[in-house]
Amino acid sequence: MKLKKQVTVCGAAIFCVAVFSLYLMLDRVQHDPTRHQNGGNFPRSQISVLQNRIEQLEQLLEENHEIISHIKDSVLELTANVEGPPALLPYYMSNGSWVVPPEPRPSFFSISPQDCQFALGVRGQKPELQMLTVSEELPFDNVDGGVWKQGFDISYSPHDWDTEDLQVFVVPHSHNDPGWLKTFDKYYTEQTQHILNNMVSKLQEDPRRRFIWAEVSFFAKWWDNINAQKRAAVRRLVGNGQLEIATGGWVMPDEANSHYFALIDQLIEGHQWLEKNLGATPRSGWAVDPFGYSPTMPYLLRRANLTSMLIQRVHYAIKKHFAATHSLEFMWRQTWDSDSSTDIFCHMMPFYSYDVPHTCGPDPKICCQFDFKRLPGGRINCPWKVPPRAITETNVAERAGLLLDQYRKKSRLFRSNVLLVPLGDDFRYDKPQEWDAQFFNYQRLFDFLNSKPDLHVQAQFGTLSDYFDALYKRTGVEPGAQPPGFPVLSGDFFSYADREDHYWTGYYTSRPFYKSLDRVLEAHLRGAEILYSLAVAHARRSGVASQYPLSNFALLTEARRTLGLFQHHDAITGTAKEAVVVDYGIRLLRSLVNLKQVIINAAHYLVLGDKKSYRFDPESPFLQMDDTRLNHDALPERTVIQLDSSPRYVVLFNPLEQERLSVVSLLVSSPRVRVLTEEGQPLAVQVSAHWSSATDMVPDVYQVSVPVRLPALGLGVLQLQLGLDGPRTLPSSVRVYLHGRQLSVSRHEAFPLRVIDSGTSDFALSNRYMQVWFSGLTGLLKSIRRVDEEQEQRVGMEFLIYGTRSSKDKSGAYLFLPDGEAKPYVPKDPPVLRITEGPFFSEVVAYYEHVHQVVRLYNLPGVEGLSLDVSSLVDIRDCVNKELALRLHTDIDSQGTFFTDLNGFQVQPRRYRKKLPLQANFYPMPVMACLQDAQSRLTLHTAQALGVSSLHDGQLEVILDRRLMQDDNRGLGQGLKDNKRTCNHFRLLLERRTLGREPCLGA
């Protein structure tokens, strides 16, 4: 801007001088005394001289006009350059390093400490139950509790209900997994449609009957296949309260691996479907099967206007403690909430499972006798060898008394005299006979109990909201308000164990390929929704909506439902059978392909200058995407741009709501490449070889990398031309360490290459912010030194291997049961190292037998330059019962504490608990994990969900992949043998704790 002003002033000065000179010359002629003396008669010679001078003045004016025009063009060009992408021209230092000139604009915005004050601590009522404290104080013993093996004996007095009757709500339900042992469609065809069809007819037979349903994905598929008469009956059942849709999400989602974007998306998809088709709004949450619980979900439910919720799979020791202290029902509050604005009432089921034997009371042997699907002659029976008996007039008194005893014992664990008794299990009520057996027999029991006032009990069928409404009424509060005397809880319920030391921490990493594909689909969905919305809004405003493919909205809907389906607690968790995983993968890939089509159509429209020239041609798309996947289980293959005499154009999109400066890397067919902005301004680029292995270059394929700044939610266009631009086309240099291995290395004249046969000295990469040291032997990270500090910070890496137990119980898709501490990973051959250095990025690639790791350092201002980009291509398909882990060693004094995120939404402190087995100290890492002390903070960001722990001070340990041959006895009937080549992507950021951002850690 300063240069622009200087040029403008200079041009104006020249113009003024020229005009003033002309004025003086004319004035001199006008006042010439010779002219007056001669009476105005000029000699011919003087007239000739005057004409010559006038001609000279005219020529001078014309030249000045050209100068002013050039100045104007220069000012306009300078203005365009200032407002456009920066022309970062790197230069090479004598010490061998590249330097990129700093940008005139700041890389960071300052953060006021007041911005995150809410995260410093709770300023209102302190929660009585803080899960971190509860976990510290509990002994986590496993004492035999008698008939309730994981609990204790429960006693009561028959007079406990003399002043207030026990009110019992039996809630029939059927838990339908949208994929687990069978695919979604097979479950629907063979079981789910029959459950829902039976529901309509059987509920209409008796208005006292109730039923709840949770999975809208199944319900919507069924709805599309029933007639108008049956739809009207469903609406009546919903309207009169016999049928309740609980939670209302597309699925019952996993809460460990899912990102909050996908959690919200599947909730919206389900709620919108219910509103449109049933006119129903969910009031209560039902989550009986996720393997642990995150506080993100109750926050979202509360914001969706639900007032109550239920959970089941919580560590058995925590259940026992909460039962003993009458804390199984509580207000769940966010850890960062300073008041009660995020509170939601939560009911925790007390016993082992949500099936009938573990829901009526503490003794499963007795409760199983009241699961009337298990009547003699059926396909399933009671493991305790005492079968149910049909209820008759002769046995109703004895059977009702036996059941009432369980109800009363269970009620003694809660603070109110309202009792919830779920009645169901996986895929129950698929046969009319089960509906009749359960409803007829229970109704006879209810009729008997209700006819005996001296028993002080009222029992009935109910929905989940019926139960909560009755509880609120009994305690005298409005729905969703805190009942008097009920505790407030903050924290989460990870990690989950259902018995002994069987911790469900394996699924945090199981099938990481699909966990990664989930995030890819999520990112594409977000980008496609933004671009489609912008394009359609512009098309409608411009009057060309008829030419735009509005049908793309159906592709967006399908993708949202696919992403929602994959949030199911047996999908993103990696705990379904192999055939089901394949079905999920095919769905994910199909939606990804469709979203790319939506992106192509929208970007095509938005980049056109003349929108009326837009023509939609599905057979010949205007653009193509930068990568493709051949199969649902294949890693993406990047598109190679073929360069010729005509320029090629690349459209870039920034889906974030803030401006970005990033290095964009493209594959091209020639190292002779020029890159220009849309306006034709040349940009500096780094050209590198493209490698197919440690030592082999891909012929005729090259990587061109260019820094690009894109506005928030903005599009940008780059031109690629064949040809060299000397000062701006900058080749990378390469060093290859063979460590004694007899391998030939590809060479290319465009790239300086040096082969080192046996070097083991440590080496460093550097940029303007830091110097990063690597082991010359392993190629792995060793330390980082910031340029403003003298001392190095230890940040070492190593690969480790976990085995599994030799006993009957082994690691599987759900469980992590290692055979002890991890052992160092020892490859057959030493790794080949390849070091690439260039102006915009440098990287170290270490090739091991089962993992190829790339650590890249960007030479850019901002966060990309302050962090390390780490990717690990893992292939353990030839391993047996092994798990590959990556451990980070630092000298951070973490004092047994580390941090992980919950769903990418908030951060939770964790502590290493020596009283628990190793596997209990692993936690989900959907987005990040962090170590810190008073001076430093190390943050590891991940592009996919994985399991993480800090087993020793100053360490982070991430499980990268698992290959297990046996079942872990949790229903799969198989191990994890269908491994894929998987790329784990991380960003590693080391920072000083003087940046004023500490308060945000707890946000």
Side-chain angles (χ1 to χ4, degrees):
M1 189 61 68
K2 183 177 179 182
L3 178 61
K4 172 183 173 182
K5 291 180 178 178
Q6 291 175 344
V7 174
T8 304
V9 171
C10 180
I14 295 172
F15 179 78
C16 292
V17 168
V19 172
F20 189 68
S21 300
L22 177 62
Y23 172 78
L24 290 178
M25 294 175 69
L26 290 174
D27 184 70
R28 182 181 176 187
V29 171
Q30 184 177 359
H31 294 90
D32 190 349
T34 308
R35 177 185 173 197
H36 292 286
Q37 288 173 0
N38 294 331
N41 296 320
F42 287 95
R44 188 175 297 273
S45 60
Q46 289 184 352
I47 293 175
S48 176
V49 171
L50 183 60
Q51 286 178 340
N52 290 336
R53 288 183 177 178
I54 290 173
E55 289 174 359
Q56 290 175 1
L57 285 172
E58 290 174 347
Q59 184 177 357
L60 181 62
L61 282 171
E62 186 175 350
E63 291 175 356
N64 278 306
H65 179 72
E66 292 179 3
I67 292 172
I68 294 301
S69 297
H70 283 302
I71 292 172
K72 180 180 177 182
D73 293 340
S74 300
V75 169
L76 291 174
E77 183 179 353
L78 285 168
T79 303
N81 291 346
V82 169
E83 294 175 353
L88 298 172
L89 286 178
Y91 54 92
Y92 204 61
M93 297 287 287
S94 58
N95 63 4
S97 63
W98 286 95
V99 175
V100 177
E103 286 194 299
R105 67 179 74 193
S107 300
F108 300 99
F109 293 103
S110 60
I111 297 176
S112 170
Q114 285 74 29
D115 290 345
C116 296
Q117 282 297 316
F118 72 93
L120 289 174
V122 177
R123 295 188 297 277
Q125 174 192 355
K126 187 177 181 180
E128 297 93 320
L129 302 172
Q130 295 176 300
M131 290 311 301
L132 193 63
T133 304
V134 170
S135 298
E136 290 289 333
E137 295 174 351
L138 278 184
F140 286 95
D141 52 5
N142 191 18
V143 179
D144 191 330
V147 293
W148 178 17
K149 289 191 66 66
Q150 297 172 333
F152 47 83
D153 288 331
I154 304 172
S155 60
Y156 64 86
S157 167
H159 300 291
D160 287 346
W161 294 273
D162 286 353
T163 58
E164 187 178 61
D165 286 356
L166 177 63
Q167 190 174 8
V168 180
F169 287 90
V170 174
V171 179
H173 70 96
S174 180
H175 178 62
N176 281 237
D177 292 300
W180 179 36
L181 305 180
K182 304 176 185 177
T183 65
F184 173 81
D185 288 333
K186 193 169 185 180
Y187 268 138
Y188 173 79
T189 302
E190 297 181 0
Q191 291 171 277
T192 303
Q193 66 169 332
H194 304 305
I195 297 169
L196 293 171
N197 285 330
N198 290 328
M199 173 201 70
V200 178
S201 59
K202 293 300 179 180
L203 288 184
Q204 292 184 96
E205 291 179 3
D206 189 338
R208 295 173 295 179
R209 294 179 178 180
R210 299 289 186 271
F211 195 69
I212 68 168
W213 188 265
E215 298 83 10
V216 176
S217 52
F218 273 131
F219 205 91
K221 184 176 179 66
W222 172 69
W223 186 265
D224 290 341
N225 290 281
I226 61 176
N227 58 33
Q229 182 181 1
K230 190 172 287 188
R231 289 182 179 183
V234 172
R235 292 190 182 103
R236 286 195 301 272
L237 291 170
V238 171
N240 66 20
Q242 286 186 262
L243 171 63
E244 178 183 12
I245 308 297
T247 306
W250 201 245
V251 296
M252 185 184 295
D254 170 55
E255 299 185 22
N257 301 286
S258 294
H259 192 271
Y260 78 93
F261 174 91
L263 289 175
I264 294 172
D265 212 53
Q266 65 85 31
L267 196 63
I268 292 174
E269 194 66 28
H271 282 203
Q272 287 187 335
W273 190 94
L274 292 171
E275 173 64 29
K276 176 183 177 182
N277 294 281
L278 300 181
T281 302
R283 297 171 53 207
S284 304
W286 173 264
V288 293
D289 206 22
F291 321 137
Y293 299 92
S294 164
T296 302
M297 201 62 194
Y299 175 84
L300 298 179
L301 295 181
R302 185 70 190 89
R303 289 294 180 256
N305 287 326
L306 277 73
T307 55
S308 318
M309 63 178 294
L310 174 146
I311 60 177
Q312 152 60 24
R313 289 195 183 272
V314 174
H315 195 293
Y316 61 86
I318 293 174
K319 285 193 172 195
K320 178 180 178 180
H321 172 68
F322 280 15
T325 58
H326 301 94
S327 301
L328 289 166
E329 291 181 320
F330 48 85
M331 304 303 295
W332 198 345
R333 180 177 299 169
Q334 302 302 307
T335 55
W336 39 266
D337 188 1
S338 61
D339 52 34
S340 58
S341 63
T342 62
D343 286 9
I344 185 170
F345 186 81
C346 182
H347 173 101
M348 180 188 295
M349 295 171 65
F351 306 125
Y352 174 77
S353 178
Y354 54 84
D355 60 1
V356 180
H358 297 95
T359 50
C360 89
D363 191 344
K365 180 179 179 181
I366 292 176
C367 290
C368 192
Q369 298 173 47
F370 294 90
D371 183 359
F372 296 103
K373 181 175 182 176
R374 302 176 192 251
L375 286 167
R379 292 194 306 170
I380 60 173
N381 52 33
C382 285
W384 297 270
K385 308 301 183 184
V386 182
R389 284 185 282 163
I391 305 302
T392 64
E393 289 185 8
T394 58
N395 70 7
V396 65
E398 179 267 331
R399 304 310 290 171
L402 188 63
L403 181 60
L404 179 58
D405 177 63
Q406 291 297 302
Y407 287 170
R408 285 174 169 175
K409 287 178 177 177
K410 181 177 181 180
S411 74
R412 291 297 82 196
L413 306 178
F414 295 90
R415 299 193 184 211
S416 82
N417 284 327
V418 183
L419 183 66
L420 173 67
V421 181
L423 181 68
D425 200 352
D426 292 353
F427 295 94
R428 283 299 192 91
Y429 301 96
D430 60 338
K431 301 286 193 301
Q433 294 82 356
E434 182 182 0
W435 285 86
D436 293 339
Q438 302 286 24
F439 281 96
F440 282 138
N441 284 289
Y442 267 97
Q443 193 61 58
R444 289 170 183 153
L445 290 165
F446 296 162
D447 291 343
F448 177 84
L449 291 170
N450 297 341
S451 68
K452 304 295 182 182
D454 58 310
L455 295 178
H456 297 287
V457 62
Q458 290 296 314
Q460 64 190 79
F461 292 116
T463 65
L464 185 60
S465 291
D466 287 339
Y467 165 74
F468 285 125
D469 287 343
L471 186 147
Y472 293 134
K473 184 177 180 180
R474 278 283 181 96
T475 56
V477 299
E478 293 294 320
Q482 181 179 358
F486 281 61
V488 176
L489 176 143
S490 67
D492 66 328
F493 294 102
F494 295 115
S495 290
Y496 167 60
D498 60 345
R499 63 176 184 259
E500 300 163 350
D501 62 350
H502 292 192
Y503 282 85
W504 296 42
T505 53
Y507 80 94
Y508 300 155
T509 295
S510 293
R511 294 190 168 105
F513 177 90
Y514 294 100
K515 285 177 166 64
S516 175
L517 188 55
D518 164 78
R519 297 294 199 263
V520 172
L521 181 63
E522 184 177 314
H524 278 74
L525 175 59
R526 177 64 174 159
E529 287 178 333
I530 293 170
L531 284 173
Y532 177 84
S533 300
L534 293 173
V536 169
H538 194 288
R540 287 173 175 164
R541 189 169 61 248
S542 302
V544 294
S546 60
Q547 301 176 29
Y548 193 82
L550 300 178
S551 58
N552 279 181
F553 186 79
L555 301 181
L556 289 174
T557 300
E558 181 193 354
R560 279 196 293 269
R561 293 180 175 183
T562 299
L563 181 65
L565 185 71
F566 196 68
Q567 304 316 301
H568 165 53
H569 56 264
D570 282 307
I572 192 173
T573 55
T575 54
K577 293 191 75 169
E578 288 183 14
V580 181
V581 173
V582 170
D583 181 65
Y584 285 137
I586 291 171
R587 292 172 182 268
L588 292 170
L589 180 60
R590 181 173 62 237
S591 289
L592 184 60
V593 171
N594 288 341
L595 288 176
K596 290 185 176 185
Q597 188 60 52
V598 176
I599 290 171
I600 285 172
N601 294 335
H604 175 197
Y605 176 83
L606 291 170
V607 298
L608 286 177
D610 180 12
K611 297 294 190 288
K612 293 184 178 180
S613 66
Y614 175 80
R615 295 293 181 272
F616 170 60
D617 184 358
E619 301 301 323
S620 180
F622 184 72
L623 300 168
Q624 65 181 117
M625 295 298 287
D626 58 342
D627 66 27
T628 56
R629 293 177 185 253
L630 298 179
N631 297 295
H632 70 91
D633 57 356
L635 289 171
E637 296 184 6
R638 296 166 63 189
T639 301
V640 180
I641 300 172
Q642 300 296 324
L643 300 177
D644 52 32
S645 57
S646 301
R648 300 298 304 274
Y649 294 89
V650 176
V651 179
L652 307 173
F653 173 54
N654 173 21
L656 301 182
E657 64 274 16
Q658 61 261 359
E659 184 181 68
R660 289 182 69 183
L661 173 63
S662 299
V663 171
V664 174
S665 293
L666 307 167
L667 294 184
V668 295
S669 59
S670 171
R672 297 171 52 84
V673 57
R674 300 176 68 232
V675 180
L676 300 90
T677 66
E678 187 176 6
E679 296 78 17
Q681 178 194 0
L683 298 174
V685 300
Q686 176 178 335
V687 182
S688 312
H690 186 56
W691 299 81
S692 59
S693 69
T695 57
D696 295 319
M697 296 182 188
V698 180
D700 300 323
V701 179
Y702 309 89
Q703 180 173 272
V704 56
S705 302
V706 54
V708 176
R709 183 180 293 278
L710 288 176
L713 306 180
L715 290 161
V717 178
L718 296 178
Q719 297 183 49
L720 274 65
Q721 297 179 356
L722 194 62
L724 282 178
D725 186 342
R728 291 182 171 85
T729 304
L730 307 167
S732 304
S733 62
V734 181
R735 305 195 308 275
V736 177
Y737 291 77
L738 296 178
H739 291 140
R741 297 174 65 176
Q742 302 301 311
L743 299 170
S744 61
V745 182
S746 300
R747 295 179 179 272
H748 193 285
E749 60 183 10
F751 310 107
L753 174 69
R754 186 157 61 100
V755 177
I756 302 168
D757 291 325
S758 57
T760 58
S761 300
D762 294 348
F763 56 90
L765 302 178
S766 61
N767 64 11
R768 69 179 67 189
Y769 298 119
M770 57 183 168
Q771 189 176 50
V772 185
W773 284 91
F774 297 83
S775 165
L777 186 62
T778 66
L780 301 181
L781 186 64
K782 287 190 69 175
S783 64
I784 298 174
R785 184 183 67 81
R786 295 173 62 89
V787 295
D788 54 353
E789 299 174 0
E790 294 184 2
Q791 188 173 357
E792 293 180 5
Q793 184 103 36
R794 182 191 181 202
V795 186
M797 284 185 177
E798 68 170 326
F799 292 109
L800 304 167
I801 289 289
Y802 281 102
T804 189
R805 296 178 181 178
S806 57
S807 60
K808 177 183 177 182
D809 296 320
K810 301 180 183 297
S811 295
Y814 300 87
L815 304 185
F816 179 37
L817 295 173
D819 57 358
E821 292 264 348
K823 300 174 179 62
Y825 167 70
V826 182
K828 289 190 300 186
D829 299 305
V832 173
L833 311 182
R834 189 177 67 244
I835 297 94
T836 300
E837 294 185 81
F840 296 126
F841 76 86
S842 299
E843 68 181 17
V844 177
V845 188
Y847 284 84
Y848 288 87
E849 181 182 0
H850 295 101
V851 59
H852 303 160
Q853 188 186 74
V854 181
V855 179
R856 178 174 288 192
L857 177 64
Y858 286 104
N859 196 10
L860 280 184
V863 174
E864 289 206 19
L866 281 166
S867 58
L868 289 172
D869 197 76
V870 182
S871 59
S872 299
L873 182 63
V874 177
D875 188 353
I876 59 170
R877 288 176 290 181
D878 62 349
C879 295
V880 175
N881 289 330
K882 302 295 183 186
E883 306 191 35
L884 182 67
L886 174 66
R887 180 178 290 173
L888 291 171
H889 301 266
T890 76
D891 46 20
I892 293 174
D893 184 15
S894 57
Q895 299 185 355
T897 299
F898 66 111
F899 300 83
T900 66
D901 75 292
L902 292 163
N903 315 105
F905 181 73
Q906 54 187 309
V907 175
Q908 180 72 24
R910 309 289 187 189
R911 288 195 61 82
Y912 174 63
R913 294 169 290 179
K914 294 181 180 179
K915 62 187 173 185
L916 292 179
L918 179 151
Q919 63 268 22
N921 287 287
F922 276 80
Y923 294 92
M925 180 180 65
V927 170
M928 60 81 69
C930 173
L931 290 171
Q932 67 180 25
D933 58 19
Q935 288 77 38
S936 304
R937 176 186 297 142
L938 181 78
T939 308
L940 183 69
H941 294 267
T942 175
Q944 68 195 66
L946 296 168
V948 67
S949 185
S950 179
L951 300 177
H952 303 281
D953 277 359
Q955 292 186 5
L956 283 176
E957 188 169 303
V958 182
I959 306 295
L960 299 178
D961 202 359
R962 328 172 64 224
R963 189 164 193 266
L964 305 161
M965 313 309 289
Q966 286 85 15
D967 179 25
D968 54 14
N969 297 317
R970 290 304 185 278
L972 268 177
Q974 62 177 14
L976 286 172
K977 299 177 246 184
D978 55 335
N979 294 74
K980 319 298 179 192
R981 292 172 68 244
T982 302
C983 188
N984 302 296
H985 202 97
F986 305 100
R987 174 159 286 176
L988 192 64
L989 177 63
L990 178 67
E991 56 187 331
R992 302 295 293 175
R993 293 196 64 194
T994 56
L995 301 180
R997 296 205 293 272
E998 291 84 358
C1000 293
L1001 188 61

